[in-house]
Amino acid sequence: MILTGALETPQLWLRSLDDQAATGPYLTWMQDPDILRFLEARFSQHTPDSLTGFIKSMNQNPDALLLGMFLKDDGRHVGNIKLGPVSREHLRGDIGLLIGDKSVWGRGLATEAITALTRYGFDSLNLNRLYAGCYGGNEGSVRAFVKAGWQVEGRLPRYWRLEDGHWADHILLGCLNPTT
């Protein structure tokens, strides 16, 4: 799925990534265990080639949209947000995100990006439902989705096995299109 142009929020531009993103801050984030601690991506090795391949595959996928999050004030790439896979049969899609630049954590950027992509999914793609999931313990992610108008819809106990042998629940979040 290709987004022509960009989505705008008060602090961000959300736009498609190109190959150059694979050698910038994105690569650094994908090698930082602190940033990856709540992501399944922590189990893979990330290189410029693997990220370039991922960006290309997302840009060519008609049922997914990967957008970089760029600060409006200085153009810095601070994170990514993804919509997909999208089920056109069931009019639903999954949203996932990563704020990789630790210096902007807690500034509400995730909420802005979720709100913008939710609006795009409902208004432009006519989706009925959006959903997301996160590790129990990732309160920042849950807070961002809830502030964006989403609901916590459930919890799957002891779903994720952590590196230290402990378990984390899986938090299920959802949002319904109010016009469908």
Side-chain angles (χ1 to χ4, degrees), residues 17-105:
L17 296 175
D18 59 22
D19 293 354
Q20 291 178 349
T23 57
Y26 185 17
L27 178 62
T28 304
W29 307 332
M30 298 306 287
Q31 297 173 341
D32 183 332
D34 191 39
I35 291 170
L36 296 178
R37 76 182 184 272
F38 293 124
L39 300 174
E40 289 298 281
R42 72 183 189 276
F43 296 115
S44 301
Q45 293 289 81
H46 303 282
T47 66
D49 287 342
S50 70
L51 292 182
T52 297
F54 178 69
I55 292 166
K56 282 183 180 178
S57 72
M58 292 300 295
N59 287 342
Q60 294 169 356
N61 187 335
D63 296 317
L65 181 62
L66 175 66
L67 301 173
M69 301 164 62
F70 297 87
L71 291 178
K72 288 167 87 171
D73 62 1
D74 64 10
R76 216 169 3 131
H77 183 195
V78 296
N80 296 332
I81 189 164
K82 178 180 75 75
L83 172 60
V86 168
S87 169
R88 295 180 193 280
E89 297 81 16
H90 299 291
L91 300 176
R92 67 177 178 238
D94 181 33
I95 290 184
L97 77 148
L98 157 74
I99 306 289
D101 186 331
K102 296 176 190 176
S103 73
V104 299
W105 285 2

Side-chain angles (χ1 to χ4, degrees), residues 112-162:
E112 287 186 21
I114 294 164
T115 300
L117 198 53
T118 298
R119 215 172 25 248
Y120 179 78
F122 291 160
D123 297 345
S124 298
L125 302 178
N126 298 312
L127 298 177
N128 176 60
R129 168 187 256 299
L130 293 169
Y131 58 93
C134 67
Y135 283 43
N138 188 352
E139 278 82 22
S141 189
V142 172
R143 219 174 13 257
F145 278 98
V146 169
K147 284 182 182 177
W150 289 48
Q151 303 293 318
V152 173
E153 296 183 332
R155 177 182 292 266
L156 302 174
R158 296 180 52 174
Y159 190 85
W160 302 107
R161 187 169 181 270
L162 305 176

Side-chain angles (χ1 to χ4, degrees), residues 9-20:
T9 78
Q11 300 179 79
L12 296 168
W13 290 108
L14 306 177
R15 63 176 183 259
S16 297
L17 296 175
D18 59 22
D19 293 354
Q20 291 178 349

